[in-house]
Amino acid sequence: DSTNADRPGFSPSEREVGPHLEEVFARAEGRIVVTSFASNIHRVQQVVDAAAALDRKVALVGRSMRKNVNIGRSLGHIEVPEGMLIQPQEVEDWPDEKVVVISTGSQGEPLSALRRMAHNDHRLIKLHEGDTVVFSATPIPGNERAVNETIDRLYHIGCNVITPRDAPIHASGHGY
């Protein structure tokens, strides 16, 4: 009944992800792009918290990401410090080491923001060498190829790519 039913033990707690995200952010010298499920508002909050701890601005990219964060904020489930959010078109106005982009596209969806960035086809965000892209999600079974193709394109650009294989930056919502 669970995606992870074949894994022994217990799935890690969402609480463990935040400190690891902050560690990854602290090591990143340039811009950081984090992709996760837009519906995982607790994860988005953890990304915002890690960005705030390192004095970085946050841009939300992708229709569902903006929509979910706006709903979460209006319901009091996501707190973003005043003045922290910037518009995607403002990303280029800030030094690379001061920006975190939270994006849709963790599953390699063809029209998602991250996939467009990886193919240099996003109208506002142009990735470049030295950017760090953090996949704070694991591929849904069947999406592995699309995710791997996106990661391959990011490597071709010169991005540093961090996945849950590299650091504990994702906790599954599916029990082991």
Side-chain angles (χ1 to χ4, degrees):
D1 292 317
S2 174
T3 299
N4 292 327
D6 58 344
R7 292 185 178 192
F10 297 91
S11 57
S13 168
E14 187 70 30
R15 188 177 308 135
E16 298 172 23
V17 174
H20 293 291
L21 282 171
E22 193 171 327
E23 288 172 17
V24 168
F25 284 21
R27 288 193 307 267
E29 294 179 12
R31 292 185 301 184
I32 301 168
V33 177
V34 179
T35 185
S36 70
F37 292 104
S39 58
N40 190 344
I41 59 172
H42 187 261
R43 182 70 49 77
V44 173
Q45 180 70 66
Q46 290 177 311
V47 172
V48 167
D49 293 345
L54 296 166
D55 195 32
R56 288 182 179 249
K57 298 289 184 181
V58 171
L60 303 172
V61 180
R63 194 173 302 124
S64 62
M65 186 63 70
R66 289 190 312 272
K67 182 179 113 187
N68 282 303
V69 170
N70 286 334
I71 292 168
R73 289 179 77 194
S74 69
L75 295 173
H77 296 301
I78 297 179
E79 292 182 18
V80 180
E82 190 67 36
M84 183 181 211
L85 281 182
I86 60 173
Q87 295 301 313
Q89 57 268 27
E90 296 177 78
V91 166
E92 296 298 325
D93 298 338
W94 291 88
D96 288 355
E97 67 275 5
K98 290 291 184 184
V99 175
V100 173
V101 173
I102 307 176
S103 175
T104 56
S106 67
Q107 298 304 305
E109 306 92 328
L111 299 177
S112 68
L114 183 63
R115 180 77 172 233
R116 288 178 185 236
M117 289 180 226
H119 285 87
N120 199 22
D121 189 34
H122 195 277
R123 63 185 185 88
L124 298 173
I125 309 291
K126 303 288 182 224
L127 297 177
H128 54 75
E129 189 172 342
D131 288 343
T132 297
V133 181
V134 178
F135 280 77
S136 192
T138 51
I140 294 170
N143 290 350
E144 297 91 350
R145 184 178 197 152
V147 171
N148 288 334
E149 286 173 357
T150 301
I151 290 171
D152 186 56
R153 292 293 316 137
L154 294 168
Y155 279 128
H156 280 284
I157 292 169
C159 297
N160 303 311
V161 179
I162 309 293
T163 70
R165 285 185 164 178
D166 305 310
I169 52 172
H170 175 64
S172 177
H174 301 278
Y176 288 9

